[in-house]
């Protein structure tokens, strides 16, 4: 579709989103980036964060747990480790995941520090994002 971007978000758990949108902003490992139709092609790694898309007057918010983005003039393909639309985030589950990871951090000799802090980061961003609904 002319002047639109096809936004596809795919994870090992399934396809999370497939929409024609006007604009995408996401968290690359080298910083936030924005894409409009006609963008030059590029590929980047993504850090755990929030993808925001604009569709007409609507804004959509999606949690992304690291991965890759492949951008071309009419397409943004996100391959993420996991992802959820803001409205699908289960806050109780994220709170429990964060509590578990925080408990692991206390067991200093046994823990995998990077794994526990990554779990805390995922849970914290999910908790922050969970209240956001698509704005119309
Ligand atoms: P948990 O310990 O609760 O599984 P996690 O951060 O280890 O959290 P992931 O490995 O990122 O979970 O995701 C596994 C699957 O569970 C994915 O399909 C992801 O979308 C889903 N998921 C994880 N946490 C939540 C949540 N709080 N709300 C909704 N879906 C979630």
């Amino acid at each position: 579709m002319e002047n639109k971007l096809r936004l596809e978000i795919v994870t090992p758990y399934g396809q999370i989103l497939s929409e024609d949108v006007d604009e995408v902003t996401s968290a690359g490992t080298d910083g936030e980036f924005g894409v409009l139709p006609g963008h030059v092609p590029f590929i980047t790694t993504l850090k755990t964060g929030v993808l925001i898309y604009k569709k007409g007057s609507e804004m959509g918010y999606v949690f992304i747990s690291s991965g890759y983005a492949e951008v071309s003039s009419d397409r943004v393909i996100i391959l993420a480790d996991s992802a959820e639309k803001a409205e699908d985030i289960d806050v109780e589950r994220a709170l429990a995941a964060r509590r578990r990871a925080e408990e692991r951090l206390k067991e200093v000799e046994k823990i995998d520090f990077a794994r526990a802090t990554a779990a805390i980061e995922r849970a914290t961003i999910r908790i922050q994002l969970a209240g956001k609904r698509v704005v119309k």
Side-chain angles (χ1 to χ4, degrees):
M1 203 184 293
E2 214 177 309
N3 282 326
K4 288 278 179 192
L5 285 168
R6 186 78 184 164
L7 172 61
E8 309 269 6
I9 303 180
V10 181
T11 77
Y13 306 95
Q15 181 148 32
I16 305 302
L17 195 97
S18 178
E19 296 255 15
D20 288 320
V21 304
D22 300 306
E23 191 177 337
V24 176
T25 304
S26 194
T29 43
D30 294 329
E32 193 175 276
F33 62 89
V35 181
L36 292 167
H39 202 288
V40 289
F42 72 97
I43 291 178
T44 185
T45 46
L46 298 174
K47 64 180 183 185
T48 297
V50 179
L51 178 146
I52 302 174
Y53 64 88
K54 201 166 161 236
K55 185 178 177 180
S57 57
E58 262 179 47
M59 305 278 280
Y61 300 86
V62 185
F63 168 79
I64 303 288
S65 170
S66 63
Y68 297 88
E70 188 185 337
V71 173
S72 62
S73 63
D74 62 353
R75 210 167 268 268
V76 176
I77 299 171
I78 306 287
L79 302 173
D81 291 349
S82 62
E84 303 100 46
K85 294 185 210 168
E87 59 268 33
D88 293 335
I89 293 174
D90 176 342
V91 183
E92 290 305 318
R93 178 173 169 175
L95 286 166
R98 187 163 69 177
R99 270 195 300 275
R100 277 198 310 278
E102 284 169 348
E103 285 305 314
R104 285 205 302 275
L105 277 180
K106 292 182 190 156
E107 299 170 29
V108 183
E109 327 78 46
K110 287 190 234 160
I111 60 145
D112 177 342
F113 185 80
R115 188 173 162 198
T117 50
I120 289 173
E121 187 185 24
R122 286 196 300 278
T124 301
I125 296 174
R126 280 179 171 128
I127 292 160
Q128 288 165 349
L129 188 59
K132 289 234 184 218
R133 295 284 179 267
V134 172
V135 180
K136 297 201 183 192

